[in-house]
Amino acid sequence: MTTEPAGSPHLRIRPRVRPRLPADLDGCVAVLTLVHTHSGYPVDLPERPAAWLTPAALLAAWVAERDGRILGHVGLCGAGEADLSASLWDGRAAPAVISRLYVSPEARGHGVGAALLARAVGAARARDLHPVLDVVAGDPAVSFYERLGWRLLGTADQRWGPTRTVSVHGYAAPGTTARAAD
């Protein structure tokens, strides 16, 4: 993928999306910390970011890189009870959850997030699973997913600790529709 940012006709970003390796975790954590500071994702920066990027349900993960530098990350996980989108999905294929998708602020607007998302979606479909994801309501990422054709399945409030409730949207990837109601 090649894009030219406005005002920089000579700058081209060609992210290489490849499987995440253990050696990539330090770079992934550094970018995650930068994204959290810049954009507030994740809402709460985990105490152990490398472990957060490697949840028990992780099926696969990828990074986007340029010149050996990590630009972004995405994971594909098996669905769990806490995944709103998976609980709302009623399609023919079982759901797989796109998670931990983030892109360095310097690389945004160049197709890096779309490339990572496409790789995870393709991997889910190769496993005969349907991609779904959760996103905090009001997060700017909502417009990104909707622009790419993701369908809102519903919204619910989730308890994130004893004193905080967060509104979360569940989305399903375009392509396969849910079963018709009987």
Side-chain angles (χ1 to χ4, degrees):
M1 172 176 296
T2 302
T3 59
E4 289 188 31
S8 300
H10 301 293
L11 174 65
R12 294 182 189 269
I13 293 183
R14 293 186 181 105
R16 177 177 165 230
V17 177
R18 62 169 175 77
R20 187 187 78 197
L21 304 172
D24 294 325
L25 277 175
D26 286 344
C28 291
V29 167
V31 174
L32 179 67
T33 302
L34 180 64
V35 168
H36 174 74
T37 301
H38 180 270
S39 311
Y41 177 84
V43 172
D44 297 315
L45 188 64
E47 285 183 34
R48 297 176 44 229
W52 184 79
L53 290 170
T54 313
L58 187 69
L59 301 173
W62 300 268
V63 295
E65 66 175 350
R66 183 186 68 215
D67 301 328
R69 240 179 58 233
I70 302 293
L71 299 176
H73 176 277
V74 68
L76 180 67
C77 294
E81 289 181 18
D83 298 309
L84 173 66
S85 54
S87 70
L88 296 173
W89 175 248
D90 189 23
R92 296 188 192 286
V97 180
I98 307 290
S99 68
R100 280 55 166 174
L101 173 58
Y102 58 91
V103 173
S104 174
E106 72 180 76
R108 291 182 184 168
H110 299 286
V112 175
L116 285 164
L117 186 59
R119 181 64 182 95
V121 166
R125 290 191 170 137
R127 295 171 185 248
D128 293 324
L129 300 170
H130 191 85
V132 297
L133 60 83
D134 293 348
V135 63
V136 173
D139 187 309
V142 167
S143 62
F144 168 72
Y145 298 122
E146 290 179 352
R147 191 171 55 252
L148 293 175
W150 286 66
R151 182 173 53 89
L152 179 64
L153 299 172
T155 302
D157 289 336
Q158 292 182 344
R159 297 278 297 171
W160 288 14
T163 61
R164 184 164 54 167
T165 301
V166 177
S167 187
V168 175
H169 295 314
Y171 281 88
T176 304
T177 58
R179 290 188 293 251
D182 293 329

